[in-house]
Amino acid sequence: MKRTKIKKILTGLPAGEEIVVKGWVRTKRESKNAVFIALNDGSTIHNLQIVADPAQFTEEVLKKVTTGASLSVSGVLVESQGKGQSIELQAAVIQVTGEADPEAYPLQPKRHSLEFLREIAHLRPRTNTFSAILRVRHAMAYAVHTFFHEKGFLYLNTPILTASDAEGAGETFKVTTLDLEKVPRNEHGEIDFEQDFFGRETNLTVSGQLEGELAALAVSEIYTFGPTFRAENSNTTRHLAEFWMIEPEMAFYDITDNMDLAEEMLKYVVKYALEHCKDDLEFLNERELQEEKNKAQAERNELSLLERLAFVVENDFERISYTEAIDILRQSTPNKKKKFQYLIDAWGADLQSEHERFLVEKHFKKPVILYNYPRDIKAFYMRQNEDGKTVAAMDVLFPGIGEIVGGSQREERLDKLVQRMDEMKIPREDLWWYLETRKYGTVEHSGFGLGFERMIQFVTGMGNIRDVIPFPRTPGNCEF
Ligand code: ATP
Ligand code: MN
């Protein structure tokens, strides 16, 4: 007989049905007349209760049914006598397909710390928390593709190996096949990348944007959704060395259209989660409430996870210019009382996460879109405004996270773009192909980057980005 997944059993199979179920044991409880096994197969947060009559099974089999062991069980579904479930499986045959020595198996049926679970990332998908996150992550990816597909955007795969460092920030991972023991040198004593695989210096992509623009300036609207690599040595709860980024690029969009799209997309995917991941989000909501009991009042969220998600879907984001934000921050209590680590004194300062979170969590109490940033703190490709000192950049700031989206209207005027590249010492010849799109049939266009994991953090309420990607890569950590 084919196995039936637990989700299907719990959401609709009638009592009397004969089935085979396969999964991993979460807990076992024994009473005189019955053994109760909670089995989970990851198709849902809920376990299937299996009831075995100890008289029908050998001691040897029942002994092997321990937390973490894998089972194949056949039997008949019956209405449950106990609380907590409406249906359960009366076991006829139990096959222990893989034992899990209870002395050695690291996951016990109790609450483990997230730090400990990171050390056993190969097993953490077997916990309620991580299987819920994996399911939510999947649903979010599906929602992203659905959102863009329904709008007529094309999914574009941009290269992972590249010779350009889109931001010029220099936080790239080098890619080479040169023998590191005997690196070839040219006559100037520099590393001779001409002998390298691609005949030039290459790295892993930090953004698909520049290539994304090339396609948008032909098919109007595209998005990328791929792995992104940044060798930033910042050990924060919001940065990974390898993360997934969604980058739409749209021809004929100005900065306002860009903000509208970002807001619509974020609302769409959060709403999708609320509608399609109900059980998992309820579990994560409860989990957060439990965690917060150990926190000081001031550190607790004012709204529960589910309330925060509903709030984002139902309310318009606040849109203010960078200049207005600076005024608010300068006048703010934490700035006056010197509570910020970085005090805001003058226009032109780069905003830190603490400032972004102040605006979102304390001042406006809702997501905020900041636009028109000083051009000196932003990338060369952002469109220069008439005032001569700002660019048409926009960042979306979320509660608990800070920046979740960074984007801009792109500079479509060749002369302005080249002038800015020269000022920032970005060699024209490196980006000759990018410049050609401005030479031939240039148009107004815009785009942004959304960090997929930061969005999953928001939707799941997880405080650390290492807990929303299956196998996190961070400084000093590339296990699994
Ligand atoms: P931050 O200031 O937080 O480092 P950034 O300005 O470097 O962000 P962008 O270059 O605009 O970010 O990238 C677009 C989006 O990608 C960000 O809004 C964020 O959601 C995400 N992102 C950027 N860096 C990382 C990272 N190291 N790990 C995970 N997500 C990231
Ligand atoms: Mn960064």
PDB file of all heavy atoms in Angstrom, residues 169 171 230 232 234 239 243 403 454, ligand 2:
ATOM      1  N   ALA A 169      31.367  47.800  -3.387  1.00  0.00           N
ATOM      2  CA  ALA A 169      31.633  47.798  -1.949  1.00  0.00           C
ATOM      3  C   ALA A 169      32.802  46.882  -1.589  1.00  0.00           C
ATOM      4  O   ALA A 169      33.342  46.959  -0.496  1.00  0.00           O
ATOM      5  CB  ALA A 169      30.395  47.361  -1.187  1.00  0.00           C
ATOM      6  N   GLU A 171      32.908  43.712  -1.041  1.00  0.00           N
ATOM      7  CA  GLU A 171      32.671  42.616  -0.101  1.00  0.00           C
ATOM      8  C   GLU A 171      32.423  41.314  -0.851  1.00  0.00           C
ATOM      9  O   GLU A 171      31.458  40.611  -0.594  1.00  0.00           O
ATOM     10  CB  GLU A 171      31.459  42.938   0.773  1.00  0.00           C
ATOM     11  CG  GLU A 171      31.708  44.090   1.717  1.00  0.00           C
ATOM     12  CD  GLU A 171      30.418  44.656   2.289  1.00  0.00           C
ATOM     13  OE1 GLU A 171      29.346  44.444   1.696  1.00  0.00           O
ATOM     14  OE2 GLU A 171      30.494  45.315   3.332  1.00  0.00           O
ATOM     15  N   ARG A 230      27.883  37.864   0.055  1.00  0.00           N
ATOM     16  CA  ARG A 230      28.586  39.059   0.524  1.00  0.00           C
ATOM     17  C   ARG A 230      29.517  38.688   1.663  1.00  0.00           C
ATOM     18  O   ARG A 230      29.076  38.162   2.683  1.00  0.00           O
ATOM     19  CB  ARG A 230      27.597  40.133   0.974  1.00  0.00           C
ATOM     20  CG  ARG A 230      26.771  40.628  -0.188  1.00  0.00           C
ATOM     21  CD  ARG A 230      25.985  41.879   0.123  1.00  0.00           C
ATOM     22  NE  ARG A 230      25.143  42.199  -1.022  1.00  0.00           N
ATOM     23  CZ  ARG A 230      24.236  43.169  -1.028  1.00  0.00           C
ATOM     24  NH1 ARG A 230      24.051  43.917   0.047  1.00  0.00           N
ATOM     25  NH2 ARG A 230      23.522  43.386  -2.116  1.00  0.00           N
ATOM     26  N   GLU A 232      30.726  40.094   4.045  1.00  0.00           N
ATOM     27  CA  GLU A 232      30.788  41.150   5.035  1.00  0.00           C
ATOM     28  C   GLU A 232      31.061  40.541   6.391  1.00  0.00           C
ATOM     29  O   GLU A 232      30.408  39.594   6.792  1.00  0.00           O
ATOM     30  CB  GLU A 232      29.530  42.007   5.056  1.00  0.00           C
ATOM     31  CG  GLU A 232      28.237  41.265   4.935  1.00  0.00           C
ATOM     32  CD  GLU A 232      27.143  42.190   4.420  1.00  0.00           C
ATOM     33  OE1 GLU A 232      27.344  43.400   4.456  1.00  0.00           O
ATOM     34  OE2 GLU A 232      26.101  41.684   4.001  1.00  0.00           O
ATOM     35  N   SER A 234      30.334  41.192   9.200  1.00  0.00           N
ATOM     36  CA  SER A 234      29.503  41.743  10.271  1.00  0.00           C
ATOM     37  C   SER A 234      28.688  40.615  10.870  1.00  0.00           C
ATOM     38  O   SER A 234      27.867  40.018  10.197  1.00  0.00           O
ATOM     39  CB  SER A 234      28.588  42.830   9.714  1.00  0.00           C
ATOM     40  OG  SER A 234      27.990  42.410   8.509  1.00  0.00           O
ATOM     41  N   HIS A 239      22.508  39.644   8.890  1.00  0.00           N
ATOM     42  CA  HIS A 239      23.408  39.446   7.751  1.00  0.00           C
ATOM     43  C   HIS A 239      23.889  38.004   7.638  1.00  0.00           C
ATOM     44  O   HIS A 239      24.326  37.411   8.622  1.00  0.00           O
ATOM     45  CB  HIS A 239      24.643  40.353   7.874  1.00  0.00           C
ATOM     46  CG  HIS A 239      24.339  41.803   7.659  1.00  0.00           C
ATOM     47  ND1 HIS A 239      24.039  42.638   8.706  1.00  0.00           N
ATOM     48  CD2 HIS A 239      24.279  42.544   6.532  1.00  0.00           C
ATOM     49  CE1 HIS A 239      23.810  43.858   8.219  1.00  0.00           C
ATOM     50  NE2 HIS A 239      23.952  43.828   6.906  1.00  0.00           N
ATOM     51  N   PHE A 243      22.865  34.584   0.981  1.00  0.00           N
ATOM     52  CA  PHE A 243      21.427  34.764   1.205  1.00  0.00           C
ATOM     53  C   PHE A 243      20.731  34.804  -0.146  1.00  0.00           C
ATOM     54  O   PHE A 243      21.381  34.759  -1.188  1.00  0.00           O
ATOM     55  CB  PHE A 243      21.149  36.032   2.020  1.00  0.00           C
ATOM     56  CG  PHE A 243      21.573  37.323   1.375  1.00  0.00           C
ATOM     57  CD1 PHE A 243      20.647  38.145   0.747  1.00  0.00           C
ATOM     58  CD2 PHE A 243      22.900  37.725   1.395  1.00  0.00           C
ATOM     59  CE1 PHE A 243      21.033  39.354   0.152  1.00  0.00           C
ATOM     60  CE2 PHE A 243      23.295  38.925   0.800  1.00  0.00           C
ATOM     61  CZ  PHE A 243      22.363  39.732   0.181  1.00  0.00           C
ATOM     62  N   GLU A 403      16.103  47.593   7.587  1.00  0.00           N
ATOM     63  CA  GLU A 403      15.959  47.565   6.130  1.00  0.00           C
ATOM     64  C   GLU A 403      15.603  46.169   5.628  1.00  0.00           C
ATOM     65  O   GLU A 403      16.299  45.200   5.887  1.00  0.00           O
ATOM     66  CB  GLU A 403      17.260  48.025   5.470  1.00  0.00           C
ATOM     67  CG  GLU A 403      17.148  48.018   3.958  1.00  0.00           C
ATOM     68  CD  GLU A 403      18.462  48.306   3.239  1.00  0.00           C
ATOM     69  OE1 GLU A 403      19.311  49.013   3.789  1.00  0.00           O
ATOM     70  OE2 GLU A 403      18.602  47.797   2.107  1.00  0.00           O
ATOM     71  N   ARG A 454      15.321  38.093   5.274  1.00  0.00           N
ATOM     72  CA  ARG A 454      14.801  39.124   6.186  1.00  0.00           C
ATOM     73  C   ARG A 454      13.277  39.093   6.174  1.00  0.00           C
ATOM     74  O   ARG A 454      12.632  39.323   7.196  1.00  0.00           O
ATOM     75  CB  ARG A 454      15.338  40.495   5.800  1.00  0.00           C
ATOM     76  CG  ARG A 454      16.818  40.584   6.103  1.00  0.00           C
ATOM     77  CD  ARG A 454      17.312  42.003   6.242  1.00  0.00           C
ATOM     78  NE  ARG A 454      18.773  41.996   6.287  1.00  0.00           N
ATOM     79  CZ  ARG A 454      19.527  43.056   6.141  1.00  0.00           C
ATOM     80  NH1 ARG A 454      18.983  44.244   5.962  1.00  0.00           N
ATOM     81  NH2 ARG A 454      20.841  42.962   6.191  1.00  0.00           N
TER      82      ARG A 454
HETATM   83 MN    MN B   2      25.062  45.707   3.647  1.00  0.00          MN
END
